[in-house]
Amino acid sequence: MEKLRDLVKKFTEVAGPSGREEEIREAILRSLDGYVDGYRVDKVGNLIVWKNGRENKKILFDAHMDEIGVVVTHVDEVFLRVEPIGGMSPRYLLGTGIRFLVDPPVYGVVGVEGESIEEYNKNLKELSFDKIYVDVCASSKEELKERIKIGTFGVYDSRFRESAGRYVSKAMDDRIGCAVLVQFMRELVDPRYTVYCVFSMQEETGLVGASVAAYDLQPDVAIAVDVTASVDTPKANKRMAMKLDAGPAIKVMDRASISDRGVVDKLIEVAERHGIPHQMEVLILGGTNAAAYQRTRSGIPSATVSIPTRYVHSPHEVVSENDVLNTVKLLKHYVEEAFD
Amino acid sequence: MYLKELSELSGISGDEGEVRDFIKSHMASYADEMWVDNVGNLLILKKGRESDKKVLIAAHMDEVGMMVVRINEDGTLGVAPVGGLDMRVCLGKRVRIGDVHGVIGYKAIHLQKKMEDKFPARRDVKVFCGFKNKDEAAENVKLGDYVYFTTTFEEKGEYFSGKAFDDRGGCSILMDLLSSGEPAYDTIFAFLVQEETGLRGSSVVVEQVKPDVAIVVETTTAGDVPELEEYRWATHLGDGPAVTFAHRGYVVDPRVFQTIVETAEKAGIRYQYKRRTAGGTDAFRFARSAYGVPAGVVSIPCRYIHSPVSLMRKDDYHETLKLMQLLVMKGEVKKAWRN
């Protein structure tokens, strides 16, 4: 079986901003070949895979395929203007570079406007997409136009690294969730309940994919597998507590949802019974697809299991390999005991 | 074209009845089925040459405006915006509340301090209707009454001007399409309520009609004004229909986007991209409600939307109509659906 590390590397290096998930969908589907009882791609582009259970209940797990990115809104002489897709910050773009989704790939570097030192410093301080431009290093407008157009999408240009039990990459949000679910499906044999895995599109823009998958599948419980902030760094936010290597984070609340109490209690119970390290999570910002599952149709009991991640939405998101393995373990046991 | 009549009708969000009745009375003879749903959307089914797929075409009936929220002791009225309305552009404008006429007044320049450049706070904006006191005002106006701009429609040279082009422009395009013959596929023409207050009407449409693809016809901000550098323009008047690739909450399905662009290119229709991603449309709701539907957006560029008067180029309107005709009536939209 393919090593977890290789799966994470493969998934994180694919460029798939919201609305441009074709390639990552293909990669996920290929990696599940032979490990599922069925799959389909729905009207909006979610990939839904399943394994049939012995008993008559349905559990849905969700990880979103899309990552944050940019889209070209203006092509100047030889410079571009871009706007964010999802929660992309202009700060992280400085010094990082952008990889545009064209074949062969085009790379861009980001500069800041400023016609005086004062103006430049002011723009740096109040950085916005109106103050930055992208230089794709073309020597003429003609050359540029053939490569990039208005409406071309781009993502961070950064690579996967593995170092001492850590994975580092762009798009760990939420390709690490995708990798967890793929690994989980590969290891899952003859599940007690039917398991659906939704690899959802456009979470970063507005929970688009999850909203329709929930309507479609009507599961008995839905669990989003996503990243959460890890604050075990120097002078990090004092109002949160999640850290690397302490196991999957069972979310109690974030800005978009409060997890179903029953599901949370069950997750804790399962983790304790099987000695799986875990931590509780309260995130004071952000949200996950659980918010969409929770309020679709007549309501689905929903929760989130998170992989603690440093520097979320940056080009170098850091996770712990152990946390990833323990998340897979937790989900596997949960499936057997979810409704006991 | 019904833009003149539509523009002069009253239909702030939640008060779309007059617009709906107008569309109903003019479109009834073209409809195979027509119904008003529980929230007030007007939905019209027009049978196509083929019935294996269903297309949804939508425009919203509502416009931005104001509502009476307070009757003051002196007989003036306090108002609040309904939808995204910049109160600064409302000062000095004539308004109508039912049969009552008024003006949004502010103290004359003579009474202002020198160099006073702050605009009044929302709470200080008042409508003067000539009532001598609170009691007289209360006899004529109720809290919750809608406050309308009185702008009349004008046609001059290459331009149309008037109020509520966002989105009566889209409504007019839909009516032109509906009355122009048989669409390629069974098509739902949806005239929606309460887009401006949060994409509300559109949230119940997919469940009712189960379309395979949706296209929203909007009127969008031009931004091609001297205060903005060109790279900040969202669209430019005279460059034809604007095609959206991404906006707030939703990246347009790539197949729908490509289908619209390729249809325009093949037919030699001048088009442009919507070049800002701020602002959302009903496409967001369509994409994420019920089973979901791939949705796209085509817009007529328009200057000064969400103000008492907006400006549209005639050729942009006609090019938008031409593009929609190819997509819907000729059936080019078929390249957009998944499965």
Side-chain angles (χ1 to χ4, degrees):
Chain A
M1 199 189 285
E2 191 177 13
K3 277 166 61 187
L4 177 67
R5 173 218 182 262
D6 297 330
L7 201 59
V8 177
K9 175 173 159 53
K10 187 163 72 185
F11 286 175
T12 51
E13 287 189 346
V14 171
S18 311
R20 295 293 179 274
E21 294 97 349
E22 298 85 351
E23 201 185 325
I24 181 63
R25 187 168 59 229
E26 275 308 304
I28 292 169
L29 190 54
R30 272 198 309 275
S31 67
L32 283 168
D33 194 23
Y35 294 104
V36 294
D37 290 337
Y39 79 90
R40 70 167 177 273
V41 176
D42 72 7
K43 278 200 170 93
V44 296
N46 293 314
L47 169 63
I48 299 166
V49 306
W50 59 89
K51 250 183 190 160
N52 297 321
R54 306 187 302 275
E55 291 179 35
N56 190 26
K57 282 214 189 291
K58 296 188 285 191
I59 301 177
L60 182 157
F61 295 105
D62 169 287
H64 65 89
M65 298 186 286
D66 61 319
E67 65 187 288
I68 57 171
V70 295
V71 64
V72 176
T73 54
H74 182 79
V75 181
D76 218 327
E77 270 305 309
V78 288
F79 299 106
L80 316 175
R81 300 285 170 167
V82 296
E83 287 197 14
I85 296 294
M88 171 67 83
S89 153
R91 284 165 208 285
Y92 280 133
L93 281 176
L94 287 189
T96 299
I98 297 171
R99 173 170 144 216
F100 288 100
L101 278 67
V102 288
D103 192 24
V106 167
Y107 300 96
V109 292
V110 176
V112 182
E113 290 179 351
E115 292 179 312
S116 64
I117 292 170
E118 292 73 25
E119 191 187 34
Y120 182 82
N121 287 339
K122 185 171 181 284
N123 287 346
L124 265 187
K125 208 170 155 192
E126 300 159 13
L127 204 60
S128 77
F129 280 90
D130 278 344
K131 301 293 180 203
I132 63 172
Y133 57 84
V134 180
D135 180 347
V136 294
C137 312
S139 53
S140 75
K141 189 174 184 171
E142 286 62 43
E143 195 188 348
L144 182 63
K145 268 206 166 149
E146 283 167 29
R147 297 152 91 193
I148 299 258
K149 292 194 302 189
I150 293 173
T152 298
F153 285 67
V155 297
Y156 287 129
D157 178 30
S158 65
R159 289 179 51 198
F160 173 86
R161 313 274 176 190
E162 184 194 7
S163 153
R166 300 273 187 267
Y167 299 148
V168 187
S169 174
K170 74 163 179 68
M172 214 51 97
D173 175 8
D174 184 27
R175 304 286 161 71
I176 197 64
C178 297
V180 162
L181 292 189
V182 166
Q183 187 65 27
F184 158 74
M185 281 305 249
R186 286 172 167 186
E187 292 180 17
L188 190 66
V189 182
D190 190 26
R192 180 168 171 193
Y193 305 107
T194 296
V195 171
Y196 287 97
C197 284
V198 176
F199 298 93
S200 49
M201 49 78 82
Q202 292 201 38
E203 187 266 357
E204 299 288 358
T205 47
L207 315 186
V208 176
S211 304
V212 305
Y215 185 94
D216 196 0
L217 298 170
Q218 295 185 263
D220 295 286
V221 61
I223 294 181
V225 181
D226 208 333
V227 302
T228 191
S230 181
V231 292
D232 49 346
T233 52
K235 296 213 171 181
N237 193 302
K238 287 195 277 193
R239 294 175 60 211
M240 293 188 285
M242 291 77 78
K243 53 186 191 234
L244 299 190
D245 291 324
I250 299 168
K251 190 187 295 271
V252 176
M253 184 176 84
D254 60 26
R255 288 284 293 275
S257 72
I258 296 173
S259 297
D260 181 88
R261 185 67 179 266
V263 179
V264 167
D265 288 347
K266 182 58 73 178
L267 285 164
I268 297 170
E269 184 192 312
V270 170
E272 280 174 356
R273 184 177 307 134
H274 299 279
I276 303 166
H278 60 284
Q279 54 189 320
M280 301 312 291
E281 172 196 348
V282 178
L283 184 69
I284 59 174
L285 44 101
T288 74
N289 273 336
Y293 290 109
Q294 199 158 47
R295 60 181 197 170
T296 300
R297 293 261 191 184
S298 49
I300 299 162
S302 305
T304 302
V305 172
S306 307
I307 294 100
T309 306
R310 288 186 195 151
Y311 323 117
V312 172
H313 284 194
S314 85
H316 311 289
E317 299 172 316
V318 181
V319 303
S320 143
E321 184 178 51
N322 278 333
D323 289 343
V324 178
L325 293 169
N326 281 320
T327 308
V328 174
K329 210 162 146 190
L330 175 61
L331 299 189
K332 271 168 63 186
H333 286 292
Y334 175 78
V335 167
E336 291 306 303
E337 300 163 22
F339 304 106
D340 288 345
Chain B
M1 201 185 66
Y2 301 84
L3 186 60
K4 175 183 159 47
E5 297 90 329
L6 285 167
S7 161
E8 291 180 351
L9 291 173
S10 301
I12 295 173
S13 311
D15 189 28
E16 297 91 349
E18 206 176 294
V19 180
R20 187 169 53 229
D21 289 345
F22 174 83
I23 298 171
K24 261 165 88 175
S25 67
H26 284 79
M27 293 294 112
S29 59
Y30 303 106
D32 287 307
E33 276 176 50
M34 181 161 85
W35 73 100
V36 177
D37 72 11
N38 287 337
V39 300
N41 297 315
L42 172 63
L43 302 170
I44 299 176
L45 167 69
K46 178 84 174 164
K47 289 271 184 199
R49 296 187 291 281
E50 289 177 46
S51 289
D52 58 323
K53 294 281 181 185
K54 203 184 279 171
V55 177
L56 168 64
I57 306 296
H60 66 88
M61 296 186 287
D62 61 317
E63 64 189 287
V64 298
M66 290 158 288
M67 188 179 272
V68 176
V69 293
R70 184 187 163 93
I71 299 175
N72 298 313
E73 289 301 329
D74 63 358
T76 61
L77 310 172
V79 292
V82 178
L85 184 64
D86 181 352
M87 293 304 283
R88 291 175 303 179
V89 302
C90 300
L91 294 186
K93 301 297 186 301
R94 287 172 184 277
V95 292
R96 188 178 58 70
I97 306 154
D99 296 329
V100 174
H101 286 257
V103 64
I104 301 178
Y106 192 60
K107 61 187 170 187
I109 192 166
H110 313 75
L111 305 174
Q112 296 177 26
K113 285 196 196 86
K114 217 176 179 184
M115 299 298 286
E116 183 177 43
D117 56 4
K118 266 198 195 154
F119 287 92
R122 226 174 241 184
R123 64 178 179 274
D124 295 328
V125 172
K126 286 173 187 165
V127 176
F128 294 78
C129 303
F131 301 126
K132 56 178 184 283
N133 55 35
K134 188 174 185 174
D135 290 343
E136 194 191 15
E139 279 166 30
N140 292 280
V141 174
K142 295 191 309 297
L143 292 191
D145 281 355
Y146 286 93
V147 181
Y148 283 94
F149 297 117
T150 59
T151 319
T152 51
F153 182 85
E154 309 275 349
E155 193 178 333
K156 209 169 227 177
E158 292 304 310
Y159 294 91
F160 299 128
S161 72
K163 75 168 178 68
F165 284 2
D166 176 8
D167 184 28
R168 305 289 158 69
C171 293
S172 181
I173 297 264
L174 258 61
M175 292 173 76
D176 287 346
L177 285 175
L178 185 52
S179 55
S180 71
E182 192 183 31
Y185 299 90
D186 286 2
T187 302
I188 298 286
F189 292 80
F191 299 91
L192 306 172
V193 297
Q194 296 197 40
E195 189 270 353
E196 298 292 359
T197 48
L199 316 178
R200 293 178 187 162
S202 53
S203 56
V204 300
V205 174
V206 173
E207 173 93 38
Q208 294 180 73
V209 305
K210 299 183 175 57
D212 293 282
V213 66
I215 297 179
V216 171
V217 186
E218 262 286 4
T219 309
T220 199
T221 178
D224 52 346
V225 292
E227 307 92 273
L228 287 177
E229 289 167 88
E230 196 186 327
Y231 68 86
R232 293 194 186 150
W233 295 358
T235 64
H236 179 44
L237 256 54
D239 286 352
V243 187
T244 299
F245 43 79
H247 65 42
R248 190 176 62 223
Y250 180 57
V251 175
V252 169
D253 186 284
R255 294 174 200 219
V256 182
F257 172 68
Q258 276 307 326
T259 300
I260 296 168
V261 167
E262 279 162 22
T263 301
E265 267 174 10
K266 222 172 80 187
I269 293 173
R270 201 166 25 156
Y271 72 98
Q272 58 186 319
Y273 297 117
K274 167 94 188 268
R275 302 182 292 280
R276 299 300 303 225
T277 58
T281 74
D282 289 316
F284 168 69
R285 281 280 183 260
F286 290 152
R288 60 168 282 178
S289 52
Y291 297 97
V293 59
V297 189
V298 172
S299 306
I300 314 166
C302 197
R303 255 181 228 155
Y304 325 122
I305 60 169
H306 288 214
S307 88
V309 57
S310 37
L311 195 67
M312 178 188 288
R313 269 188 76 104
K314 290 178 182 175
D315 50 356
D316 286 334
Y317 179 93
H318 292 295
E319 293 288 288
T320 305
L321 177 59
K322 219 191 289 175
L323 177 56
M324 290 307 297
Q325 259 158 350
L326 291 171
L327 286 165
V328 179
M329 310 312 274
K330 188 150 175 287
E332 295 295 336
V333 69
K334 66 173 177 278
K335 291 167 194 143
W337 41 68
R338 203 179 287 275
N339 305 332

